[in-house]
Amino acid sequence: MAAPTEQVTGGGRARDEGGGPVISVRELWKVFGTKADQVARSAELRALPRRELLARTGCTAAVSDVGFEVSPGEVFVVMGLSGSGKSTLVRCLTRLIEPTSGEIVFQGQDILSCDAKQLRELRRHKFSMVFQHFGLLPHRRVIDNVAYGLEISGTPKAQRLKRAGEVIDLVGLSGYERSYPDQLSGGMQQRVGLARALAGDPDVLFFDEPFSALDPLIRRDMQTEVIRLHHEVGKTMVFITHDLSEALKLGDRILIMRDGRMVQMGTGDELVGAPADDYVRDFVRDVPRANVLTLKWIMRPPRPEDPLDGPELSPDVVVREATRAVLAADKPVKVVSNGNLLGIVGDEEILAVVAGTESQA
């Protein structure tokens, strides 16, 4: 039984966390070229594929009609290959790049209408960015790098050093406060960058492929660190990556982009269970399905002969985590939500997914 997927090409649906979305994006465009404004105003030009638009106007649409919402406390991942527009998108959200048209609302405030002073205040107090290149000041020690944002915002020295020490401890760098950046490994330098972003206690953290330059083992450690920090501090995060495994590991929801446009948006199990098209299907083809799909994707309606007094599991339990319980039960496992029977899962359903996962290995 297939669960519904969230497939979009324009707007988006965020989780209902109460209080409305932190970020709301509508019909966002970023066009590079001398006729950018003309493209944004023309329905005919906006509908053209990227290559045809370039041939006709000399303009490149880096972000085309993108829309989504990010809920409080959500880790929202934007994923795509090089040239998909994902990094341009995140820079538009903070107006490091000026959008051509559209709407970006941050906690009810229209970002595109902010003047330079308002933008500075937002960047100092409301959101921070963590980049692939750490951008640390080589002549300053770790604690001074972490405190730098607080320094330029006018925070008194004792207060900013106290706060810097707290976030250094939070990211696991205690004992390295007096070290210089070139005395640290790449992973440790990225932890300094993360601590610097956290020092101002922002509401939202933007990550632009922060771990892509790191060795694979260090990269996995940093992914785990982000998950730990998210659990501890609960920040809303927007994370940009080209790596599907990273997106699935970190994201509550994932937006896949191609040629500046939205292809599909949903949870990891939605992307794997019901890819929107061949492009997404190719992306998720090698994903171990048992590690991503939940029971709602493999359950079936009970038959008249099925006993319905077996154990119960939630539809959101991952197949891999449910395998032992299902195979150990002498009756089909009931998939139940809020007291309602949604379906059942037996050996046949579990083994079909697990066998497929093992054949991919």
Side-chain angles (χ1 to χ4, degrees):
M1 179 182 296
T5 185
E6 180 179 290
Q7 300 172 13
V8 293
T9 54
R13 172 180 59 82
R15 299 177 304 167
D16 184 9
E17 297 282 344
V22 176
I23 301 170
S24 180
V25 178
R26 293 286 180 269
E27 299 180 356
L28 187 66
W29 286 79
K30 177 56 188 177
V31 182
F32 292 98
T34 56
K35 299 179 181 178
D37 291 337
Q38 177 183 334
V39 172
R41 292 193 302 266
S42 169
E44 177 189 0
L45 294 177
R46 287 165 57 140
L48 294 177
R50 180 183 277 183
R51 289 184 179 180
E52 189 173 343
L53 178 68
L54 179 62
R56 284 185 55 177
T57 67
C59 294
T60 297
V63 175
S64 306
D65 195 25
V66 169
F68 57 87
E69 292 180 346
V70 181
S71 296
E74 182 176 19
V75 180
F76 185 84
V77 176
V78 182
M79 197 202 112
L81 300 179
S82 178
S84 64
K86 59 188 185 300
S87 289
T88 301
L89 171 61
V90 75
R91 283 168 166 77
C92 285
L93 298 184
T94 58
R95 278 184 59 189
L96 293 175
I97 292 177
E98 289 293 339
T100 304
S101 65
E103 179 182 89
I104 303 171
V105 177
F106 178 80
Q107 295 181 336
Q109 184 173 4
D110 180 5
I111 294 291
L112 301 188
S113 68
C114 290
D115 58 27
K117 181 179 179 181
Q118 290 171 318
L119 273 179
R120 282 195 301 271
E121 288 302 302
L122 285 171
R123 291 168 182 163
R124 287 175 179 175
H125 304 295
K126 291 295 185 177
F127 48 72
S128 292
M129 287 201 70
V130 181
F131 297 96
Q132 174 182 342
H133 302 292
F134 318 128
L136 303 181
L137 301 172
H139 61 288
R140 290 197 171 203
R141 299 181 189 273
V142 165
I143 193 164
D144 297 313
N145 267 281
V146 172
Y148 181 69
L150 297 174
E151 179 182 345
I152 63 175
S153 67
T155 303
K157 184 174 182 179
Q159 184 178 338
R160 66 177 183 257
L161 292 180
K162 180 177 183 295
R163 174 59 181 167
E166 292 171 352
V167 292
I168 286 171
D169 181 59
L170 185 64
V171 302
L173 283 177
S174 293
Y176 292 93
E177 293 88 346
R178 308 302 297 173
S179 299
Y180 287 97
D182 63 2
Q183 296 173 315
L184 306 178
S185 67
M188 294 172 73
Q189 289 183 43
Q190 191 58 286
R191 287 174 187 260
V192 177
L194 185 54
R196 182 177 58 192
L198 287 167
D201 196 23
D203 294 332
V204 178
L205 288 169
F206 293 99
F207 296 82
D208 188 10
E209 299 204 66
F211 310 142
S212 59
L214 302 177
D215 292 336
L217 289 177
I218 299 175
R219 182 171 187 158
R220 284 198 292 271
D221 287 345
M222 289 305 299
Q223 292 166 359
T224 302
E225 184 70 9
V226 167
I227 293 171
R228 181 186 69 81
L229 286 172
H230 183 254
H231 288 161
E232 289 194 18
V233 301
K235 298 293 183 185
T236 304
M237 298 180 177
V238 178
F239 198 100
I240 308 299
T241 184
H242 65 270
D243 186 321
L244 179 61
S245 62
E246 185 166 78
L248 291 171
K249 184 175 182 179
L250 297 178
D252 293 317
R253 287 185 304 144
I254 301 166
L255 164 61
I256 296 181
M257 294 184 66
R258 182 186 188 187
D259 291 339
R261 296 185 180 274
M262 302 174 67
V263 180
Q264 185 172 357
M265 181 167 64
T267 59
D269 63 316
E270 288 171 341
L271 300 183
V272 173
D277 59 15
D278 288 341
Y279 182 74
V280 180
R281 193 169 292 108
D282 286 342
F283 250 123
V284 303
R285 180 177 52 198
D286 296 327
V287 172
R289 295 169 66 82
N291 295 348
V292 179
L293 293 182
T294 55
L295 293 184
K296 68 183 178 183
W297 290 96
I298 67 168
M299 64 186 183
R300 61 173 176 82
R303 306 182 185 110
E305 66 272 18
D306 288 324
L308 298 179
D309 56 346
E312 298 181 0
L313 288 174
S314 163
D316 296 322
V317 175
V318 176
V319 170
R320 174 177 51 81
E321 298 172 353
T323 298
R324 180 174 297 180
V326 173
L327 296 180
D330 57 358
K331 298 176 181 178
V333 168
K334 296 185 294 182
V335 182
V336 176
S337 178
N338 296 323
N340 297 316
L341 178 64
L342 304 181
I344 63 172
V345 174
D347 295 2
E348 181 180 350
E349 289 77 28
I350 281 285
L351 291 175
V353 179
V354 173
T357 297
E358 290 178 348
S359 69
Q360 293 173 331

